[in-house]
Amino acid sequence: QKEVEQDPGPLSVPEGAIVSLNCTYSNSAFQYFMWYRQYSRKGPELLMYTYSSGNKEDGRFTAQVDKSSKYISLFIRDSQPSDSATYLCAWGGDTGANSKLTFGKGITLSVRP
Amino acid sequence: GAGVSQTPSNKVTEKGKYVELRCDPISGHTALYWYRQSLGQGPEFLIYFQGTGAADDSGLPNDRFFAVRPEGSVSTLKIQRTERGDSAVYLCASSLTWVGQGADEQFFGPGTRLTVL
């Protein structure tokens, strides 16, 4: 079993839609959970970061973590064309976001105007 | 200040050749990481440095890959006898502190796109 599984894409939605992106993981050592956004031909940039189960909100973005089910989600409300990018779930070990990261495959999102 | 920079942005080489990829981290960042991203995949960890020393090189695929950071700032990833399977985007990231010293974000550069013909 792979350490990380991410819902396959690509995903295309109309502007204003609510988007749900999901990942599951198998490694219980994962403690820190992140979502990165990667625009075409750019490096990933950190979008959301959390280490506990529950929800974390930042503007139009909500990250949800369920450690018991080993499941994380990212919700995007009122999606905009500028949200069109590849979204990567990522995990760090027990030493924070600056430890080596394990990434999912990524899902490409396209928001249609 | 400036973000992480990587040179060259694109590198095309022939099978069997030697290549060097350079990373300039954000000034003052002590930790530096290399990842490799193949088409349609997420980045995969290769190696990370605390200062000048390689603290974890468990992700290097084989002994053709080597990385250095002699002065604790700029790093060079070196690939000998390149193979077509080495074609990928090589990403560099840096963070203010290293493992065990806090939860600092890794800032990624734009990557070097390596194509081995």
Side-chain angles (χ1 to χ4, degrees), chain A residues 38-98:
Chain A
Q38 185 173 25
Y39 291 112
S40 180
R41 303 216 168 231
K42 300 288 187 183
E45 56 177 343
L46 184 64
L47 199 57
M48 300 283 287
Y49 167 98
T50 184
Y51 59 88
S52 59
S53 284
N55 294 348
K56 181 176 181 180
E57 192 172 315
D58 184 1
R60 296 184 295 110
F61 298 90
T62 299
Q64 185 177 79
V65 175
D66 183 343
K67 285 189 177 182
S68 62
S69 300
K70 295 189 176 65
Y71 190 90
I72 71 170
S73 299
L74 178 71
F75 299 97
I76 307 174
R77 290 183 299 281
D78 187 25
S79 54
Q80 302 295 308
S82 58
D83 295 330
S84 298
T86 296
Y87 289 81
L88 299 155
C89 50
W91 284 262
D94 58 0
T95 48
N98 59 349

Side-chain angles (χ1 to χ4, degrees), chain A residues 3 5 9 15 19-21 25 29 31 34-35 47 58 64 78 80 84-85 90 95 102 107 112:
Chain A
E3 282 193 310
E5 298 281 356
E15 184 175 354
V19 176
S20 171
L21 307 173
Y25 64 98
Q31 296 294 324
M34 289 150 275
W35 284 95
L47 199 57
D58 184 1
Q64 185 177 79
D78 187 25
Q80 302 295 308
S84 298
T95 48
T102 301
I107 181 168
R112 308 185 302 272

Side-chain angles (χ1 to χ4, degrees), chain B residues 5-32:
Chain B
S5 62
Q6 293 186 246
T7 54
S9 54
N10 286 283
K11 176 70 177 178
V12 180
T13 191
E14 293 179 344
K15 180 174 178 288
K17 299 289 188 182
Y18 168 83
V19 296
E20 289 190 353
L21 311 179
R22 176 187 168 109
C23 172
D24 281 85
I26 293 172
S27 178
H29 279 195
T30 53
L32 185 146

Side-chain angles (χ1 to χ4, degrees), chain B residues 25-80:
Chain B
I26 293 172
S27 178
H29 279 195
T30 53
L32 185 146
Y33 311 78
W34 284 99
Y35 293 83
R36 177 168 72 174
Q37 187 171 24
S38 300
L39 191 63
Q41 303 294 318
E44 291 182 299
F45 170 79
L46 295 177
I47 185 172
Y48 102 87
F49 290 88
Q50 294 179 8
T52 60
D56 185 345
D57 64 359
S58 62
L60 294 177
N62 51 59
D63 62 5
R64 294 187 299 105
F65 289 75
F66 189 70
V68 296
R69 194 185 185 200
E71 298 178 354
S73 177
V74 170
S75 175
T76 304
L77 179 66
K78 308 180 180 193
I79 310 174
Q80 299 177 323

